[in-house]
Amino acid sequence: MELSQVQTFLAQDWSCFQDLFKKALSSDEPLLKETNAYLASNEGKMLRPMLSLLVSRACGNVTDESIRVAAASELLHNATLLHDDVLDQSASRRGVPTVMSLLGSKASVLAGDFWLVKAVETILDCRRHSKELLRMFSGTVSDLVEGEMLQMEKAGKADTSLMDYHDIIFLKTASLFKTICSAAALTAGASSRIENALMNFGIQLGMAFQIKDDILDYDGDALGKPVGTDLREGKITLPLLKALEKQEPRKQASIRRMVYEIPQKDGNVAKVADFVKENDGTALAAVTLQEYVQRAKECLGPLPESQAKDWLMKLADYCEYRTI
Ligand code: FPP
Ligand code: MG
């Protein structure tokens, strides 16, 4: 599946989303204008608004509020990346230099603040459900911050457990997928049974999406950022956790020590990556990924058959097979 096919399927709804998204970003301040134009020309996968609109369609009704939820989800997502690139001191994203590396941390934080506020305003202008939607998105913003804090705390100690890892990826990634799916269902007037099913779909899909991201960080240069980035940032993710699982405690401790010392010894990145390769870390993580994708698809069971539902199924498969 190509993501552009989803846009074609969404047709008019997709252009309404794009119009609202572009409108939300207008500013007369020259540097902000330039920054927003730069970000808009390197737009990324746009997976979140696609997910949002497909969910509303699968519930049978794309409303003005559904378009707003789609726009808010992409605005919020980009806001978090602008802040994340400062936290991670990332030089490149989506194959191009980050705003942080071009204009500095201050500009990246301020641009992120702007996109965050535009997401809030987009939801505030919803006519029927603004309060409930704002509560959902606020909950996710808290989760995102908590997830980043937990990840930062763990990165400094190299002691991330499997449970910590699952907590981190729920908070930093799956929470937004969950909110997008619930919010999109609410705006479409879905029953609470269907909304609940879609909320669970969002959680499983978000977990899968992040696990695939973490696999790709070991597997190739396809993401537009260098391989081994997570290790350099002190992040212990599923491929390494799976490779560690089979080892004796003493070996586990020595590998964790290597990760801990990466800031002083860059050569440790290649050594840990080799350890993951030799112990089938990415293949084992791919089994967990497959389980999440399978569960995500099962969550769609209660939805009536429709083309939009079929696309949601394909989107779940995409999270397993994507290469970027
Ligand atoms: C990317 O993950 C980052 C996130 C999914 C969340 C970032 C959230 C924050 C910085 C806190 C909240 C921010 C706002 C604006 C409220 P990653 O670093 O694993 O992936 P990457 O390799 O794409 O950077
Ligand atoms: Mg990052």
Side-chain angles (χ1 to χ4, degrees), residues 21-43 75 78-79 82 94 99 103 107-108 110-116 118:
F21 182 66
K22 279 191 199 124
K23 219 165 82 189
L25 290 170
S26 74
S27 167
D28 291 333
E29 201 295 311
L31 187 57
L32 191 56
K33 206 174 179 165
E34 197 188 310
T35 307
N36 290 348
Y38 178 69
L39 290 164
S41 64
N42 299 294
E43 62 181 18
L75 290 164
N78 282 291
L82 284 159
R94 298 171 180 165
V99 171
L103 301 171
S108 195
L110 289 170
D113 290 344
F114 185 83
W115 285 58
L116 177 62
K118 294 300 155 187

PDB file of all heavy atoms in Angstrom, residues 21-43 75 78-79 82 94 99 103 107-108 110-116 118:
ATOM      1  N   PHE A  21      -5.226  22.988   7.572  1.00  0.00           N
ATOM      2  CA  PHE A  21      -3.865  22.839   8.101  1.00  0.00           C
ATOM      3  C   PHE A  21      -3.003  24.035   7.673  1.00  0.00           C
ATOM      4  O   PHE A  21      -2.330  24.663   8.483  1.00  0.00           O
ATOM      5  CB  PHE A  21      -3.297  21.518   7.571  1.00  0.00           C
ATOM      6  CG  PHE A  21      -1.924  21.179   8.057  1.00  0.00           C
ATOM      7  CD1 PHE A  21      -1.688  20.899   9.394  1.00  0.00           C
ATOM      8  CD2 PHE A  21      -0.854  21.108   7.165  1.00  0.00           C
ATOM      9  CE1 PHE A  21      -0.408  20.566   9.846  1.00  0.00           C
ATOM     10  CE2 PHE A  21       0.427  20.766   7.615  1.00  0.00           C
ATOM     11  CZ  PHE A  21       0.643  20.500   8.951  1.00  0.00           C
ATOM     12  N   LYS A  22      -3.078  24.373   6.377  1.00  0.00           N
ATOM     13  CA  LYS A  22      -2.266  25.484   5.866  1.00  0.00           C
ATOM     14  C   LYS A  22      -2.703  26.801   6.488  1.00  0.00           C
ATOM     15  O   LYS A  22      -1.876  27.631   6.868  1.00  0.00           O
ATOM     16  CB  LYS A  22      -2.395  25.568   4.337  1.00  0.00           C
ATOM     17  CG  LYS A  22      -1.469  24.561   3.661  1.00  0.00           C
ATOM     18  CD  LYS A  22      -1.361  24.789   2.167  1.00  0.00           C
ATOM     19  CE  LYS A  22      -0.828  23.532   1.489  1.00  0.00           C
ATOM     20  NZ  LYS A  22      -1.690  23.019   0.440  1.00  0.00           N
ATOM     21  N   LYS A  23      -4.032  26.963   6.601  1.00  0.00           N
ATOM     22  CA  LYS A  23      -4.569  28.221   7.152  1.00  0.00           C
ATOM     23  C   LYS A  23      -4.108  28.426   8.591  1.00  0.00           C
ATOM     24  O   LYS A  23      -3.785  29.536   9.011  1.00  0.00           O
ATOM     25  CB  LYS A  23      -6.108  28.184   7.086  1.00  0.00           C
ATOM     26  CG  LYS A  23      -6.705  29.526   6.699  1.00  0.00           C
ATOM     27  CD  LYS A  23      -8.143  29.430   6.288  1.00  0.00           C
ATOM     28  CE  LYS A  23      -9.058  29.396   7.490  1.00  0.00           C
ATOM     29  NZ  LYS A  23     -10.438  29.087   7.140  1.00  0.00           N
ATOM     30  N   ALA A  24      -4.072  27.326   9.335  1.00  0.00           N
ATOM     31  CA  ALA A  24      -3.710  27.418  10.756  1.00  0.00           C
ATOM     32  C   ALA A  24      -2.283  27.934  10.940  1.00  0.00           C
ATOM     33  O   ALA A  24      -1.960  28.491  11.986  1.00  0.00           O
ATOM     34  CB  ALA A  24      -3.845  26.044  11.413  1.00  0.00           C
ATOM     35  N   LEU A  25      -1.443  27.772   9.906  1.00  0.00           N
ATOM     36  CA  LEU A  25      -0.027  28.091  10.070  1.00  0.00           C
ATOM     37  C   LEU A  25       0.362  29.475   9.595  1.00  0.00           C
ATOM     38  O   LEU A  25       1.535  29.810   9.551  1.00  0.00           O
ATOM     39  CB  LEU A  25       0.808  27.048   9.324  1.00  0.00           C
ATOM     40  CG  LEU A  25       0.771  25.672   9.981  1.00  0.00           C
ATOM     41  CD1 LEU A  25       1.407  24.632   9.090  1.00  0.00           C
ATOM     42  CD2 LEU A  25       1.478  25.718  11.328  1.00  0.00           C
ATOM     43  N   SER A  26      -0.637  30.293   9.229  1.00  0.00           N
ATOM     44  CA  SER A  26      -0.259  31.589   8.670  1.00  0.00           C
ATOM     45  C   SER A  26       0.257  32.516   9.773  1.00  0.00           C
ATOM     46  O   SER A  26      -0.246  32.511  10.902  1.00  0.00           O
ATOM     47  CB  SER A  26      -1.429  32.205   7.904  1.00  0.00           C
ATOM     48  OG  SER A  26      -2.367  32.666   8.812  1.00  0.00           O
ATOM     49  N   SER A  27       1.287  33.264   9.420  1.00  0.00           N
ATOM     50  CA  SER A  27       1.858  34.241  10.353  1.00  0.00           C
ATOM     51  C   SER A  27       2.512  35.343   9.538  1.00  0.00           C
ATOM     52  O   SER A  27       3.051  35.082   8.456  1.00  0.00           O
ATOM     53  CB  SER A  27       2.905  33.577  11.245  1.00  0.00           C
ATOM     54  OG  SER A  27       3.646  34.570  11.924  1.00  0.00           O
ATOM     55  N   ASP A  28       2.493  36.576  10.072  1.00  0.00           N
ATOM     56  CA  ASP A  28       3.142  37.693   9.373  1.00  0.00           C
ATOM     57  C   ASP A  28       4.584  37.867   9.826  1.00  0.00           C
ATOM     58  O   ASP A  28       5.328  38.660   9.253  1.00  0.00           O
ATOM     59  CB  ASP A  28       2.373  39.008   9.630  1.00  0.00           C
ATOM     60  CG  ASP A  28       1.026  38.982   8.948  1.00  0.00           C
ATOM     61  OD1 ASP A  28       0.899  38.260   7.930  1.00  0.00           O
ATOM     62  OD2 ASP A  28       0.091  39.651   9.436  1.00  0.00           O
ATOM     63  N   GLU A  29       4.967  37.130  10.834  1.00  0.00           N
ATOM     64  CA  GLU A  29       6.346  37.272  11.350  1.00  0.00           C
ATOM     65  C   GLU A  29       7.282  36.572  10.350  1.00  0.00           C
ATOM     66  O   GLU A  29       7.140  35.353  10.126  1.00  0.00           O
ATOM     67  CB  GLU A  29       6.420  36.634  12.739  1.00  0.00           C
ATOM     68  CG  GLU A  29       7.586  37.139  13.597  1.00  0.00           C
ATOM     69  CD  GLU A  29       8.944  36.776  13.053  1.00  0.00           C
ATOM     70  OE1 GLU A  29       9.165  35.586  12.718  1.00  0.00           O
ATOM     71  OE2 GLU A  29       9.793  37.674  12.919  1.00  0.00           O
ATOM     72  N   PRO A  30       8.241  37.305   9.750  1.00  0.00           N
ATOM     73  CA  PRO A  30       9.031  36.729   8.643  1.00  0.00           C
ATOM     74  C   PRO A  30       9.746  35.410   8.973  1.00  0.00           C
ATOM     75  O   PRO A  30       9.681  34.475   8.178  1.00  0.00           O
ATOM     76  CB  PRO A  30      10.037  37.833   8.295  1.00  0.00           C
ATOM     77  CG  PRO A  30       9.440  39.081   8.826  1.00  0.00           C
ATOM     78  CD  PRO A  30       8.591  38.724   9.991  1.00  0.00           C
ATOM     79  N   LEU A  31      10.401  35.326  10.140  1.00  0.00           N
ATOM     80  CA  LEU A  31      11.169  34.103  10.445  1.00  0.00           C
ATOM     81  C   LEU A  31      10.241  32.913  10.672  1.00  0.00           C
ATOM     82  O   LEU A  31      10.519  31.791  10.237  1.00  0.00           O
ATOM     83  CB  LEU A  31      12.068  34.327  11.675  1.00  0.00           C
ATOM     84  CG  LEU A  31      13.038  33.193  11.994  1.00  0.00           C
ATOM     85  CD1 LEU A  31      13.962  32.883  10.812  1.00  0.00           C
ATOM     86  CD2 LEU A  31      13.869  33.524  13.239  1.00  0.00           C
ATOM     87  N   LEU A  32       9.126  33.179  11.349  1.00  0.00           N
ATOM     88  CA  LEU A  32       8.158  32.095  11.596  1.00  0.00           C
ATOM     89  C   LEU A  32       7.529  31.644  10.269  1.00  0.00           C
ATOM     90  O   LEU A  32       7.344  30.446  10.018  1.00  0.00           O
ATOM     91  CB  LEU A  32       7.082  32.580  12.582  1.00  0.00           C
ATOM     92  CG  LEU A  32       6.158  31.520  13.155  1.00  0.00           C
ATOM     93  CD1 LEU A  32       6.923  30.404  13.843  1.00  0.00           C
ATOM     94  CD2 LEU A  32       5.179  32.148  14.153  1.00  0.00           C
ATOM     95  N   LYS A  33       7.251  32.616   9.423  1.00  0.00           N
ATOM     96  CA  LYS A  33       6.679  32.329   8.093  1.00  0.00           C
ATOM     97  C   LYS A  33       7.614  31.415   7.300  1.00  0.00           C
ATOM     98  O   LYS A  33       7.197  30.409   6.718  1.00  0.00           O
ATOM     99  CB  LYS A  33       6.507  33.664   7.351  1.00  0.00           C
ATOM    100  CG  LYS A  33       5.451  33.678   6.303  1.00  0.00           C
ATOM    101  CD  LYS A  33       5.336  35.094   5.787  1.00  0.00           C
ATOM    102  CE  LYS A  33       4.298  35.143   4.709  1.00  0.00           C
ATOM    103  NZ  LYS A  33       3.897  36.513   4.421  1.00  0.00           N
ATOM    104  N   GLU A  34       8.884  31.770   7.331  1.00  0.00           N
ATOM    105  CA  GLU A  34       9.906  31.001   6.608  1.00  0.00           C
ATOM    106  C   GLU A  34      10.038  29.589   7.202  1.00  0.00           C
ATOM    107  O   GLU A  34      10.117  28.586   6.474  1.00  0.00           O
ATOM    108  CB  GLU A  34      11.240  31.746   6.771  1.00  0.00           C
ATOM    109  CG  GLU A  34      12.321  31.373   5.802  1.00  0.00           C
ATOM    110  CD  GLU A  34      13.642  32.044   6.196  1.00  0.00           C
ATOM    111  OE1 GLU A  34      13.646  33.277   6.435  1.00  0.00           O
ATOM    112  OE2 GLU A  34      14.637  31.332   6.299  1.00  0.00           O
ATOM    113  N   THR A  35      10.022  29.523   8.542  1.00  0.00           N
ATOM    114  CA  THR A  35      10.142  28.229   9.232  1.00  0.00           C
ATOM    115  C   THR A  35       8.958  27.331   8.891  1.00  0.00           C
ATOM    116  O   THR A  35       9.116  26.148   8.576  1.00  0.00           O
ATOM    117  CB  THR A  35      10.193  28.454  10.767  1.00  0.00           C
ATOM    118  OG1 THR A  35      11.222  29.384  11.039  1.00  0.00           O
ATOM    119  CG2 THR A  35      10.461  27.161  11.513  1.00  0.00           C
ATOM    120  N   ASN A  36       7.769  27.905   8.945  1.00  0.00           N
ATOM    121  CA  ASN A  36       6.565  27.117   8.651  1.00  0.00           C
ATOM    122  C   ASN A  36       6.556  26.641   7.196  1.00  0.00           C
ATOM    123  O   ASN A  36       6.156  25.500   6.913  1.00  0.00           O
ATOM    124  CB  ASN A  36       5.296  27.933   8.945  1.00  0.00           C
ATOM    125  CG  ASN A  36       5.099  28.137  10.439  1.00  0.00           C
ATOM    126  OD1 ASN A  36       5.770  27.502  11.260  1.00  0.00           O
ATOM    127  ND2 ASN A  36       4.200  29.027  10.813  1.00  0.00           N
ATOM    128  N   ALA A  37       7.019  27.495   6.293  1.00  0.00           N
ATOM    129  CA  ALA A  37       7.070  27.116   4.875  1.00  0.00           C
ATOM    130  C   ALA A  37       8.070  25.973   4.687  1.00  0.00           C
ATOM    131  O   ALA A  37       7.812  25.018   3.933  1.00  0.00           O
ATOM    132  CB  ALA A  37       7.471  28.314   4.019  1.00  0.00           C
ATOM    133  N   TYR A  38       9.192  26.046   5.393  1.00  0.00           N
ATOM    134  CA  TYR A  38      10.217  24.987   5.317  1.00  0.00           C
ATOM    135  C   TYR A  38       9.631  23.662   5.800  1.00  0.00           C
ATOM    136  O   TYR A  38       9.786  22.619   5.168  1.00  0.00           O
ATOM    137  CB  TYR A  38      11.422  25.393   6.175  1.00  0.00           C
ATOM    138  CG  TYR A  38      12.530  24.360   6.219  1.00  0.00           C
ATOM    139  CD1 TYR A  38      13.300  24.088   5.087  1.00  0.00           C
ATOM    140  CD2 TYR A  38      12.801  23.654   7.401  1.00  0.00           C
ATOM    141  CE1 TYR A  38      14.319  23.152   5.127  1.00  0.00           C
ATOM    142  CE2 TYR A  38      13.819  22.710   7.445  1.00  0.00           C
ATOM    143  CZ  TYR A  38      14.575  22.457   6.309  1.00  0.00           C
ATOM    144  OH  TYR A  38      15.575  21.518   6.354  1.00  0.00           O
ATOM    145  N   LEU A  39       8.925  23.709   6.931  1.00  0.00           N
ATOM    146  CA  LEU A  39       8.331  22.480   7.487  1.00  0.00           C
ATOM    147  C   LEU A  39       7.249  21.936   6.558  1.00  0.00           C
ATOM    148  O   LEU A  39       7.145  20.731   6.341  1.00  0.00           O
ATOM    149  CB  LEU A  39       7.753  22.760   8.877  1.00  0.00           C
ATOM    150  CG  LEU A  39       8.814  23.033   9.961  1.00  0.00           C
ATOM    151  CD1 LEU A  39       8.193  23.680  11.179  1.00  0.00           C
ATOM    152  CD2 LEU A  39       9.532  21.742  10.350  1.00  0.00           C
ATOM    153  N   ALA A  40       6.465  22.860   5.989  1.00  0.00           N
ATOM    154  CA  ALA A  40       5.383  22.426   5.103  1.00  0.00           C
ATOM    155  C   ALA A  40       5.936  21.772   3.833  1.00  0.00           C
ATOM    156  O   ALA A  40       5.292  20.886   3.250  1.00  0.00           O
ATOM    157  CB  ALA A  40       4.488  23.613   4.755  1.00  0.00           C
ATOM    158  N   SER A  41       7.138  22.192   3.408  1.00  0.00           N
ATOM    159  CA  SER A  41       7.683  21.593   2.181  1.00  0.00           C
ATOM    160  C   SER A  41       8.367  20.240   2.455  1.00  0.00           C
ATOM    161  O   SER A  41       8.765  19.544   1.532  1.00  0.00           O
ATOM    162  CB  SER A  41       8.655  22.558   1.484  1.00  0.00           C
ATOM    163  OG  SER A  41       9.753  22.783   2.327  1.00  0.00           O
ATOM    164  N   ASN A  42       8.514  19.898   3.729  1.00  0.00           N
ATOM    165  CA  ASN A  42       9.061  18.574   4.098  1.00  0.00           C
ATOM    166  C   ASN A  42       8.069  17.909   5.038  1.00  0.00           C
ATOM    167  O   ASN A  42       8.371  17.664   6.204  1.00  0.00           O
ATOM    168  CB  ASN A  42      10.411  18.744   4.800  1.00  0.00           C
ATOM    169  CG  ASN A  42      11.415  19.413   3.894  1.00  0.00           C
ATOM    170  OD1 ASN A  42      11.808  18.858   2.885  1.00  0.00           O
ATOM    171  ND2 ASN A  42      11.804  20.616   4.235  1.00  0.00           N
ATOM    172  N   GLU A  43       6.909  17.611   4.488  1.00  0.00           N
ATOM    173  CA  GLU A  43       5.784  17.315   5.367  1.00  0.00           C
ATOM    174  C   GLU A  43       5.736  15.928   6.030  1.00  0.00           C
ATOM    175  O   GLU A  43       4.922  15.698   6.901  1.00  0.00           O
ATOM    176  CB  GLU A  43       4.467  17.574   4.639  1.00  0.00           C
ATOM    177  CG  GLU A  43       4.284  16.707   3.424  1.00  0.00           C
ATOM    178  CD  GLU A  43       2.979  16.992   2.677  1.00  0.00           C
ATOM    179  OE1 GLU A  43       2.388  18.065   2.898  1.00  0.00           O
ATOM    180  OE2 GLU A  43       2.575  16.122   1.885  1.00  0.00           O
ATOM    181  N   LEU A  75      -0.814  19.081  13.523  1.00  0.00           N
ATOM    182  CA  LEU A  75      -0.185  20.267  14.128  1.00  0.00           C
ATOM    183  C   LEU A  75       0.520  19.886  15.423  1.00  0.00           C
ATOM    184  O   LEU A  75       1.669  20.247  15.661  1.00  0.00           O
ATOM    185  CB  LEU A  75      -1.254  21.350  14.403  1.00  0.00           C
ATOM    186  CG  LEU A  75      -1.842  22.038  13.165  1.00  0.00           C
ATOM    187  CD1 LEU A  75      -3.144  22.772  13.513  1.00  0.00           C
ATOM    188  CD2 LEU A  75      -0.820  23.025  12.578  1.00  0.00           C
ATOM    189  N   ASN A  78       3.697  17.728  14.790  1.00  0.00           N
ATOM    190  CA  ASN A  78       4.864  18.515  14.362  1.00  0.00           C
ATOM    191  C   ASN A  78       5.417  19.371  15.495  1.00  0.00           C
ATOM    192  O   ASN A  78       6.630  19.579  15.586  1.00  0.00           O
ATOM    193  CB  ASN A  78       4.510  19.373  13.152  1.00  0.00           C
ATOM    194  CG  ASN A  78       4.484  18.536  11.883  1.00  0.00           C
ATOM    195  OD1 ASN A  78       5.511  18.074  11.409  1.00  0.00           O
ATOM    196  ND2 ASN A  78       3.300  18.294  11.355  1.00  0.00           N
ATOM    197  N   ALA A  79       4.533  19.861  16.350  1.00  0.00           N
ATOM    198  CA  ALA A  79       4.990  20.642  17.517  1.00  0.00           C
ATOM    199  C   ALA A  79       5.906  19.774  18.376  1.00  0.00           C
ATOM    200  O   ALA A  79       6.986  20.196  18.795  1.00  0.00           O
ATOM    201  CB  ALA A  79       3.791  21.123  18.335  1.00  0.00           C
ATOM    202  N   LEU A  82       9.342  19.326  16.767  1.00  0.00           N
ATOM    203  CA  LEU A  82      10.195  20.523  16.876  1.00  0.00           C
ATOM    204  C   LEU A  82      10.841  20.593  18.259  1.00  0.00           C
ATOM    205  O   LEU A  82      11.996  21.003  18.397  1.00  0.00           O
ATOM    206  CB  LEU A  82       9.360  21.787  16.605  1.00  0.00           C
ATOM    207  CG  LEU A  82       9.035  22.024  15.122  1.00  0.00           C
ATOM    208  CD1 LEU A  82       7.824  22.935  14.968  1.00  0.00           C
ATOM    209  CD2 LEU A  82      10.243  22.622  14.400  1.00  0.00           C
ATOM    210  N   ARG A  94      13.424  13.569   8.339  1.00  0.00           N
ATOM    211  CA  ARG A  94      12.780  13.476   7.023  1.00  0.00           C
ATOM    212  C   ARG A  94      13.788  13.747   5.896  1.00  0.00           C
ATOM    213  O   ARG A  94      13.458  14.336   4.854  1.00  0.00           O
ATOM    214  CB  ARG A  94      11.599  14.451   6.916  1.00  0.00           C
ATOM    215  CG  ARG A  94      10.492  14.158   7.919  1.00  0.00           C
ATOM    216  CD  ARG A  94       9.422  15.226   7.988  1.00  0.00           C
ATOM    217  NE  ARG A  94       8.379  14.891   8.956  1.00  0.00           N
ATOM    218  CZ  ARG A  94       7.479  15.732   9.429  1.00  0.00           C
ATOM    219  NH1 ARG A  94       7.480  16.976   9.033  1.00  0.00           N
ATOM    220  NH2 ARG A  94       6.565  15.344  10.293  1.00  0.00           N
ATOM    221  N   VAL A  99      15.018  22.149  11.908  1.00  0.00           N
ATOM    222  CA  VAL A  99      14.932  23.587  12.205  1.00  0.00           C
ATOM    223  C   VAL A  99      15.972  23.920  13.280  1.00  0.00           C
ATOM    224  O   VAL A  99      16.630  24.960  13.246  1.00  0.00           O
ATOM    225  CB  VAL A  99      13.497  23.958  12.677  1.00  0.00           C
ATOM    226  CG1 VAL A  99      13.449  25.390  13.197  1.00  0.00           C
ATOM    227  CG2 VAL A  99      12.498  23.760  11.537  1.00  0.00           C
ATOM    228  N   LEU A 103      18.355  26.864  12.476  1.00  0.00           N
ATOM    229  CA  LEU A 103      18.086  28.164  13.118  1.00  0.00           C
ATOM    230  C   LEU A 103      18.355  28.182  14.619  1.00  0.00           C
ATOM    231  O   LEU A 103      18.207  29.208  15.267  1.00  0.00           O
ATOM    232  CB  LEU A 103      16.611  28.564  12.881  1.00  0.00           C
ATOM    233  CG  LEU A 103      16.149  28.700  11.430  1.00  0.00           C
ATOM    234  CD1 LEU A 103      14.646  28.878  11.351  1.00  0.00           C
ATOM    235  CD2 LEU A 103      16.853  29.891  10.776  1.00  0.00           C
ATOM    236  N   ALA A 107      14.680  28.906  18.131  1.00  0.00           N
ATOM    237  CA  ALA A 107      13.682  28.985  17.048  1.00  0.00           C
ATOM    238  C   ALA A 107      12.850  27.711  17.000  1.00  0.00           C
ATOM    239  O   ALA A 107      11.633  27.760  16.751  1.00  0.00           O
ATOM    240  CB  ALA A 107      14.382  29.217  15.721  1.00  0.00           C
ATOM    241  N   SER A 108      13.477  26.552  17.241  1.00  0.00           N
ATOM    242  CA  SER A 108      12.742  25.291  17.162  1.00  0.00           C
ATOM    243  C   SER A 108      11.706  25.197  18.284  1.00  0.00           C
ATOM    244  O   SER A 108      10.565  24.768  18.057  1.00  0.00           O
ATOM    245  CB  SER A 108      13.731  24.113  17.234  1.00  0.00           C
ATOM    246  OG  SER A 108      13.120  22.915  16.824  1.00  0.00           O
ATOM    247  N   LEU A 110      10.317  27.766  19.860  1.00  0.00           N
ATOM    248  CA  LEU A 110       9.263  28.763  19.623  1.00  0.00           C
ATOM    249  C   LEU A 110       8.322  28.325  18.501  1.00  0.00           C
ATOM    250  O   LEU A 110       7.095  28.467  18.615  1.00  0.00           O
ATOM    251  CB  LEU A 110       9.889  30.123  19.288  1.00  0.00           C
ATOM    252  CG  LEU A 110      10.571  30.820  20.480  1.00  0.00           C
ATOM    253  CD1 LEU A 110      11.362  32.037  20.008  1.00  0.00           C
ATOM    254  CD2 LEU A 110       9.550  31.237  21.533  1.00  0.00           C
ATOM    255  N   ALA A 111       8.881  27.760  17.436  1.00  0.00           N
ATOM    256  CA  ALA A 111       8.026  27.270  16.349  1.00  0.00           C
ATOM    257  C   ALA A 111       7.137  26.143  16.868  1.00  0.00           C
ATOM    258  O   ALA A 111       5.942  26.085  16.558  1.00  0.00           O
ATOM    259  CB  ALA A 111       8.879  26.787  15.182  1.00  0.00           C
ATOM    260  N   GLY A 112       7.700  25.273  17.692  1.00  0.00           N
ATOM    261  CA  GLY A 112       6.912  24.191  18.296  1.00  0.00           C
ATOM    262  C   GLY A 112       5.771  24.743  19.141  1.00  0.00           C
ATOM    263  O   GLY A 112       4.645  24.238  19.092  1.00  0.00           O
ATOM    264  N   ASP A 113       6.059  25.799  19.911  1.00  0.00           N
ATOM    265  CA  ASP A 113       5.013  26.436  20.732  1.00  0.00           C
ATOM    266  C   ASP A 113       3.880  26.937  19.843  1.00  0.00           C
ATOM    267  O   ASP A 113       2.696  26.794  20.154  1.00  0.00           O
ATOM    268  CB  ASP A 113       5.585  27.627  21.518  1.00  0.00           C
ATOM    269  CG  ASP A 113       6.539  27.188  22.617  1.00  0.00           C
ATOM    270  OD1 ASP A 113       6.535  25.991  22.976  1.00  0.00           O
ATOM    271  OD2 ASP A 113       7.311  28.042  23.117  1.00  0.00           O
ATOM    272  N   PHE A 114       4.271  27.548  18.708  1.00  0.00           N
ATOM    273  CA  PHE A 114       3.278  28.097  17.780  1.00  0.00           C
ATOM    274  C   PHE A 114       2.375  26.984  17.237  1.00  0.00           C
ATOM    275  O   PHE A 114       1.154  27.088  17.244  1.00  0.00           O
ATOM    276  CB  PHE A 114       4.012  28.818  16.641  1.00  0.00           C
ATOM    277  CG  PHE A 114       3.104  29.528  15.670  1.00  0.00           C
ATOM    278  CD1 PHE A 114       2.614  30.796  15.958  1.00  0.00           C
ATOM    279  CD2 PHE A 114       2.750  28.928  14.462  1.00  0.00           C
ATOM    280  CE1 PHE A 114       1.777  31.459  15.058  1.00  0.00           C
ATOM    281  CE2 PHE A 114       1.920  29.579  13.559  1.00  0.00           C
ATOM    282  CZ  PHE A 114       1.438  30.852  13.860  1.00  0.00           C
ATOM    283  N   TRP A 115       2.986  25.876  16.809  1.00  0.00           N
ATOM    284  CA  TRP A 115       2.204  24.766  16.236  1.00  0.00           C
ATOM    285  C   TRP A 115       1.302  24.153  17.307  1.00  0.00           C
ATOM    286  O   TRP A 115       0.165  23.763  17.025  1.00  0.00           O
ATOM    287  CB  TRP A 115       3.145  23.702  15.650  1.00  0.00           C
ATOM    288  CG  TRP A 115       3.767  24.106  14.345  1.00  0.00           C
ATOM    289  CD1 TRP A 115       4.530  25.221  14.126  1.00  0.00           C
ATOM    290  CD2 TRP A 115       3.672  23.440  13.077  1.00  0.00           C
ATOM    291  NE1 TRP A 115       4.929  25.259  12.805  1.00  0.00           N
ATOM    292  CE2 TRP A 115       4.429  24.187  12.139  1.00  0.00           C
ATOM    293  CE3 TRP A 115       3.041  22.277  12.645  1.00  0.00           C
ATOM    294  CZ2 TRP A 115       4.551  23.817  10.798  1.00  0.00           C
ATOM    295  CZ3 TRP A 115       3.172  21.901  11.304  1.00  0.00           C
ATOM    296  CH2 TRP A 115       3.915  22.668  10.397  1.00  0.00           C
ATOM    297  N   LEU A 116       1.806  24.104  18.541  1.00  0.00           N
ATOM    298  CA  LEU A 116       0.997  23.545  19.634  1.00  0.00           C
ATOM    299  C   LEU A 116      -0.242  24.403  19.869  1.00  0.00           C
ATOM    300  O   LEU A 116      -1.369  23.893  19.973  1.00  0.00           O
ATOM    301  CB  LEU A 116       1.853  23.462  20.913  1.00  0.00           C
ATOM    302  CG  LEU A 116       1.159  22.980  22.177  1.00  0.00           C
ATOM    303  CD1 LEU A 116       0.634  21.547  22.018  1.00  0.00           C
ATOM    304  CD2 LEU A 116       2.109  23.039  23.386  1.00  0.00           C
ATOM    305  N   LYS A 118      -1.648  26.405  17.781  1.00  0.00           N
ATOM    306  CA  LYS A 118      -2.554  26.304  16.626  1.00  0.00           C
ATOM    307  C   LYS A 118      -3.393  25.019  16.699  1.00  0.00           C
ATOM    308  O   LYS A 118      -4.556  24.999  16.303  1.00  0.00           O
ATOM    309  CB  LYS A 118      -1.776  26.369  15.297  1.00  0.00           C
ATOM    310  CG  LYS A 118      -1.109  27.699  15.054  1.00  0.00           C
ATOM    311  CD  LYS A 118      -2.139  28.827  15.018  1.00  0.00           C
ATOM    312  CE  LYS A 118      -1.530  30.152  15.391  1.00  0.00           C
ATOM    313  NZ  LYS A 118      -2.509  31.238  15.534  1.00  0.00           N
TER     314      LYS A 118
END
